[in-house]
């Protein structure tokens, strides 16, 4: 199952699972990144920096780390 | 009957603070950055002799806080905050252009048992983009009053005020989901509500296109560096003419007083102690204004959140995350607002590490010292024909401070604040043109703070120093008068005695007793160094009829000048900064540690610089 670091840009994907504990995983889910949500990765900052995610009308900047894993599948 | 209290609540970036301003007319900063409203603002609305108190709480997404400012909101709403009374009702601010997260928050707020009304912003934007928003349908569905408003134009505001003064008519909504509902269930509920009542307009292409430029892997970085270069360049270039004007005005004032008053102690007090001391500091008001203008504009237009995204990787090298960039950049104006804005960092350890780094960012109080000393001891001329040596030294002082601050953060993250990295997460606000009014309010506030310091702490120290230079009265031999008499007076004054007593401590750094006195007086406020030098060298200035800068250039050799500069890069000479660190961290431990670390660094750096440059 691909995670956020490995899915193509600007293709609609559906979240399968958000894993991780603590404040960031909670906030990620409160922003709507929950199982079943459809989103796209707009861009990745160079050198392993954060990714920008478009979801509903929101734009979210997020750095993935060991404590947070988001897996997704193609939405169509 | 007591006035009812209504809490204004919403997720970040829904226009909550703007609406609060419009409702109360109370002036307050409008942040375009999630979580900028750190201190709850209180205002009141009235209509037909009925009054209601409004409290503007920091934005939240749910009732599970992840940062300090969110905790405040949740504590107040639950009635568990020690100092803020529980409100009687909630005014939820919802954005029509992103209603989903707002409805999820509503589903949690509805379980508090408080009456709720909803103000909906951005309805005009949604309609302008071809969407629709059925407020009547939503009102029936939720069982709460719904008021569409256009805050900036004042539309619908009257209805909200009318409702705010009669909260006894508000209903306590029945929770749409159970209290145990998962976030997934809450989002599912929100989506069904949106499907029935909201049709989204076309997407915000402007923000998307701007992001394609500002966050481009190559151009984004180039623009970021250009913005930062412009940022620091303009602080100096734009301020120059204004500073010249202020200097001229104070010099004129001194001349006028000098010739209008008889030659006595009172004249000396007024000219040297009051006008000289305060004037030498007020000169830096333009730089402080410009710095604050730039930071406020960057924040309000939405760029600062993007900048945090861009620098997150670099901050990661120092054990910090992108959000730490905001307090650190702000600290170039002043560490106090910088430290306060560190509340947006969710992790306590990251927050502490960032706070410990802020005092090393070159704040505007260091600028007067740098400007004076660089003007005095660094030779004019150009490196490679384009970069002025003075400019290069100034830049390296900024870089040395920033880099050292980041290294301290890294060191602390590796030792005391060791822990899992809390990943960077930020919601981008839409780009918008900063409101003139709110930028103006911020600038006026900062100028007031600065002038208040200049008018109180610095004036007081200026006067103390004047007294110390005038007592005890020196024995002036017959025939010696004027400037020479003044020289004798200062050499035998109390100030000289204090400076000479402590001077041996700083002797390895090349400081003489005059500099020692200046450095000591800086522990009241850094800028005091400038006014202190002005007073200690007053006789020389009067003798040569040249500005202080020129007098200092003759009195201070290059190694000493550089040594003093190095000391100011590191030393934490600011009582207010330490007080705010104590408030934000809850203990004197951290300001004390910061004071100790920076003092050791300052002494070492000065010693190294002085030794390296001494012949």
């Amino acid at each position: 199952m691909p995670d956020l670091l490995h899915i193509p840009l600007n293709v609609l994907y559906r979240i399968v699972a958000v894993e991780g504990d603590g404040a960031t995983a909670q906030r990620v889910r409160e922003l709507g990144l929950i199982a079943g949500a459809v989103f796209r990765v707009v861009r990745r900052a160079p050198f392993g920096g954060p990714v920008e995610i478009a979801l509903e009308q929101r734009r979210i900047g997020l750095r993935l780390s060991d404590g947070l894993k988001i897996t997704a599948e193609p939405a169509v | 009957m007591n006035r009812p209290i209504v809490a204004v609540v919403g997720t970040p970036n829904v226009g909550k603070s703007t609406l609060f301003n419009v409702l109360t007319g109370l002036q307050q900063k409008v942040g375009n950055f999630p979580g900028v409203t750190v201190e709850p603002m209180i205002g009141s609305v009235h209509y037909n002799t009925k009054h209601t108190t409004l409290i503007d709480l920091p934005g939240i997404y749910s009732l599970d806080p992840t940062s300090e400012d969110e905790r405040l909101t949740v504590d107040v709403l639950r009635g568990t905050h020690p100092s803020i009374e529980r409100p009687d009702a909630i005014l939820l601010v919802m954005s029509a252009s992103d209603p989903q997260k707002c409805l999820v928050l509503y589903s949690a707020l509805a379980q508090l048992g408080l009456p709720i009304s909803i103000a909906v912003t951005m309805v005009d934007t949604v309609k302008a983009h071809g969407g629709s928003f059925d407020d009547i349908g939503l009102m029936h569905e939720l069982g709460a009053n719904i008021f569409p408003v256009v805050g900036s134009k004042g539309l619908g505001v009257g209805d909200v005020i009318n409702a705010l003064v009669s909260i006894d008519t508000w209903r306590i909504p029945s929770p749409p989901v159970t209290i145990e509902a998962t976030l997934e269930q809450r989002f599912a509920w929100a989506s069904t509500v949106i499907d029935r009542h909201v049709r989204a307009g076309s997407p915000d292409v402007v923000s998307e296109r701007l992001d394609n430029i500002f966050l481009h892997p190559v151009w984004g970085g180039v623009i970021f560096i250009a913005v930062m270069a412009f940022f620091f360049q303009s602080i100096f270039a734009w301020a120059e003419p204004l500073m010249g004007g202020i200097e001229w005005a104070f010099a004129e004032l001194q001349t006028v007083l000098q010739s209008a008053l008889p030659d006595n102690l009172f004249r000396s007090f007024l000219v040297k102690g009051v006008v000289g001391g305060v004037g030498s500091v007020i000169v830096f008001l333009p730089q402080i204004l410009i710095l604050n203008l730039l930071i406020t504009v960057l924040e309000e237009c939405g760029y600062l959140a993007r900048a945090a995204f861009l620098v997150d990787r670099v901050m990661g090298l120092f054990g910090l995350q992108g959000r730490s960039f905001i307090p650190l950049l702000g600290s170039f104006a002043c560490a106090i607002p910088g430290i306060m804005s560190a509340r947006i960092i969710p992790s306590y350890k990251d927050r502490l590490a960032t706070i410990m780094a802020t005092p090393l960012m070159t704040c505007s109080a260091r600028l007067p010292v740098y400007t004076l000393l660089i003007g005095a001891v660094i030779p004019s001329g150009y490196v490679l024909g384009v970069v002025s040596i003075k400019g290069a030294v100034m830049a390296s002082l900024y870089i040395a401070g920033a880099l050292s601050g980041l290294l301290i953060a890294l060191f602390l993250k590796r030792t005391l604040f060791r822990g899992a990295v809390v990943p960077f997460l930020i919601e981008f606000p839409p780009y918008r043109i900063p409101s003139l009014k709110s930028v103006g309010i911020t600038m006026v506030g900062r100028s007031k703070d600065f002038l208040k310091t200049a008018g109180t702490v610095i004036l007081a120290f200026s006067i103390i120093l004047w007294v110390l230079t005038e007592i005890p009265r020196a024995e002036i031999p017959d025939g010696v008068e004027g400037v020479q008499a003044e020289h004798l007076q200062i050499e035998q004054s109390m100030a000289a005695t204090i400076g000479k007593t402590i001077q041996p401590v700083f002797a390895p750094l090349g400081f003489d007793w005059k500099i020692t006195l200046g450095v000591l007086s800086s522990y009241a406020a850094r800028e005091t160094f400038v006014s202190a030098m002005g007073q200690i060298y007053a006789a020389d200035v009067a003798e040569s009829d040249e500005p202080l800068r020129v007098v200092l250039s003759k009195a201070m050799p290059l190694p000493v000048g550089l040594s003093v500069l190095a000391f100011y890069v590191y030393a934490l000479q600011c009582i207010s900064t330490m007080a705010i660190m104590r408030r934000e961290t809850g203990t004197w431990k951290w300001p004390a540690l910061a004071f100790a670390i920076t003092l050791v660094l300052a002494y070492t750096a000065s010693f190294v610089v002085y030794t390296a440059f001494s012949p």
Side-chain angles (χ1 to χ4, degrees):
Chain A
M1 193 75 68
D3 64 24
L4 242 55
L5 287 175
H6 300 97
I7 64 175
L9 294 185
N10 288 313
V11 177
L12 290 179
Y13 267 66
R14 179 179 288 114
I15 291 175
V16 176
V18 177
E19 291 159 71
D21 42 34
T24 306
Q26 182 198 323
R27 178 51 39 83
V28 161
R29 294 172 63 238
E30 283 168 3
L31 281 166
L33 286 163
I34 50 172
V38 173
F39 70 100
R40 65 195 163 94
V41 174
V42 182
R43 61 174 56 81
R44 295 188 181 91
F47 312 114
V51 296
E52 183 189 346
I53 295 164
L55 166 95
E56 300 280 325
Q57 284 81 28
R58 292 183 281 286
R59 292 303 182 100
I60 300 156
L62 172 68
R63 174 161 41 148
L64 296 160
S65 72
D66 299 342
L68 180 69
K69 190 170 162 65
I70 300 175
T71 46
E73 60 185 11
V76 275
Chain B
M1 186 191 126
N2 283 337
R3 282 185 187 190
I5 302 170
V6 176
V8 184
V9 180
T11 61
N13 294 321
V14 290
K16 184 169 66 67
S17 296
T18 311
L19 180 66
F20 179 78
N21 278 344
V22 173
L23 285 173
T24 61
L26 191 122
Q27 300 195 330
Q28 176 219 353
K29 194 163 163 254
V30 189
N32 193 10
F33 187 81
V36 81
T37 324
V38 286
E39 309 240 85
M41 298 293 291
I42 312 278
S44 68
V45 293
H46 50 90
Y47 184 76
N48 283 351
T49 72
K50 289 192 284 188
H51 297 266
T52 293
T53 300
L54 285 195
I55 174 165
D56 183 21
L57 295 171
I60 50 170
Y61 290 97
S62 71
L63 293 178
D64 300 310
T66 61
S67 69
E68 284 307 303
D69 50 351
E70 292 172 18
R71 187 174 310 280
L72 172 102
T73 303
V74 174
D75 285 350
V76 171
L77 291 178
R78 289 194 190 279
T80 53
H81 194 278
S83 55
I84 302 175
E85 205 181 327
R86 192 182 195 210
D88 302 298
I90 295 171
L91 179 67
L92 172 66
V93 185
M94 177 184 283
S95 164
S97 69
D98 188 5
Q100 195 190 36
K101 63 179 183 184
C102 304
L103 283 167
V104 170
L105 174 60
Y106 170 85
S107 76
L109 294 177
Q111 273 143 1
L112 287 168
L114 291 172
I116 300 179
S117 283
I118 302 174
V120 186
T121 61
M122 309 280 279
V123 178
D124 53 333
T125 314
V126 168
K127 287 186 175 161
H129 284 88
S132 64
F133 191 93
D134 171 18
D135 51 302
I136 307 288
L138 192 61
M139 179 149 72
H140 286 296
E141 168 119 24
L142 300 181
N145 300 322
I146 307 253
F147 304 100
V149 289
V150 184
S152 57
K153 298 196 183 73
L155 299 176
V157 171
D159 294 340
V160 180
I161 292 179
N162 217 342
L164 283 170
V165 295
S166 45
I167 59 161
D168 44 319
T169 65
W170 294 18
R171 275 173 292 176
I172 299 171
S174 48
V177 292
T178 61
I179 198 156
E180 300 88 9
T182 61
L183 264 177
E184 283 78 3
Q185 288 166 326
R186 290 174 195 270
F187 269 101
W189 169 77
S191 295
T192 61
V193 172
I194 291 167
D195 285 345
R196 280 199 285 274
H197 305 292
V198 187
R199 206 179 68 240
S202 49
D204 180 2
V205 282
V206 178
S207 278
E208 177 142 13
R209 282 186 191 148
L210 285 174
D211 272 347
N212 286 342
I213 304 166
F214 287 127
L215 297 178
H216 188 273
V218 178
W219 299 121
V222 172
I223 291 170
F224 174 77
I225 291 168
V227 168
M228 288 299 115
F230 172 80
F231 181 86
F232 288 108
Q233 180 65 36
S234 43
I235 296 168
F236 301 104
W238 297 353
E240 201 120 310
L242 295 167
M243 292 170 73
I246 295 174
E247 262 173 352
W248 174 85
F250 272 92
E252 285 296 299
L253 183 59
Q254 281 180 310
T255 316
V256 168
L257 289 173
Q258 193 87 31
S259 52
L261 297 169
D263 184 5
N264 57 19
L265 264 186
F266 177 70
R267 187 181 78 174
S268 157
F269 169 75
L270 210 60
V271 173
K272 284 199 275 179
V274 178
V275 179
V278 173
S280 55
V281 174
I282 288 185
V283 143
F284 299 97
L285 185 62
Q287 280 182 334
I288 286 154
L289 277 180
I290 291 169
L291 193 73
N292 283 304
L293 169 74
L294 294 171
I295 287 185
T296 313
V297 168
L298 283 181
E299 182 177 300
E300 297 231 331
C301 73
Y303 185 71
L304 218 44
R306 272 79 183 182
F309 178 83
L310 286 173
V311 299
D312 176 68
R313 187 73 197 89
V314 179
M315 301 300 280
L317 297 176
F318 299 98
L320 300 174
Q321 57 134 306
R323 278 180 179 239
S324 298
F325 176 72
I326 316 289
L328 292 178
L329 184 69
S331 297
F332 281 98
C334 176
I336 294 161
I339 289 168
M340 279 166 43
S341 63
R343 290 184 200 171
I344 58 163
I345 301 168
S347 145
Y348 181 68
K349 286 174 176 172
D350 285 359
R351 215 173 124 233
L352 268 183
T354 307
I355 287 176
M356 297 295 276
T358 52
L360 284 160
M361 303 302 123
T362 302
C363 69
S364 39
R366 284 186 177 93
L367 255 184
V369 182
Y370 288 0
T371 312
L372 175 72
L373 290 173
I374 288 177
V377 302
I378 305 296
S380 329
Y382 290 87
V383 188
L384 305 171
V386 280
V387 185
S388 83
I389 299 177
K390 288 177 196 275
V393 171
M394 181 68 92
S396 38
L397 294 175
Y398 269 82
I399 293 168
L403 203 59
S404 310
L406 289 171
L407 288 172
I408 287 181
L410 177 64
F411 172 75
L412 291 171
K413 284 282 292 183
R414 287 280 165 83
T415 53
L416 284 175
F417 308 145
R418 189 187 286 277
V421 179
V422 175
F424 169 72
L425 173 64
I426 205 163
E427 188 189 351
F428 292 143
Y431 288 99
R432 58 181 171 216
I433 295 171
S435 117
L436 260 180
K437 190 177 158 193
S438 88
V439 172
I441 290 166
T442 310
M443 305 254 302
V444 170
R446 295 287 159 81
S447 317
K448 268 193 196 153
D449 288 349
F450 175 75
L451 291 175
K452 218 165 92 190
T453 320
T456 53
V457 179
I458 294 168
L459 179 64
F461 266 75
S462 199
I463 291 170
I464 291 170
L465 205 61
W466 176 83
V467 171
L468 291 176
T469 56
E470 295 292 339
I471 56 160
R473 299 305 297 170
E475 303 255 335
I476 312 285
D478 286 342
V480 176
E481 54 187 29
V483 181
Q484 277 169 318
E486 283 184 40
H487 270 298
L488 279 175
Q489 170 60 40
I490 199 148
E491 285 290 337
Q492 293 174 34
S493 66
M494 184 74 119
T497 313
I498 297 173
K500 284 168 186 165
T501 311
I502 299 175
Q503 190 266 343
V505 179
F506 292 106
L509 315 184
F511 297 2
D512 61 15
W513 70 263
K514 292 177 177 178
I515 297 172
T516 303
L517 200 61
V519 169
L520 287 179
S521 65
S522 276
Y523 277 91
R526 291 187 181 90
E527 312 92 308
T528 315
F529 180 80
V530 177
S531 58
M533 287 290 115
Q535 290 192 42
I536 297 166
Y537 283 98
D540 305 75
V541 170
E543 186 178 45
S544 59
D545 199 25
E546 280 173 313
L548 176 62
R549 185 164 40 83
V550 181
V551 171
L552 271 184
S553 70
K554 291 167 188 157
M556 202 183 277
L558 180 66
V560 178
L562 290 174
S563 167
V564 180
L565 282 172
F567 194 86
Y568 276 87
V569 168
Y570 292 102
L572 173 44
Q573 298 161 304
C574 182
I575 295 161
S576 322
T577 299
M578 294 185 58
I580 208 86
M581 284 173 102
R582 145 89 182 87
R583 201 186 80 188
E584 293 295 305
T585 61
T587 146
W588 279 109
K589 195 164 82 180
W590 304 116
L593 182 68
F595 184 84
I597 294 177
T598 53
L599 186 61
V600 170
L601 282 175
Y603 198 91
T604 315
S606 285
F607 180 73
V608 169
V609 167
Y610 180 65
T611 317
F613 281 86
S614 291

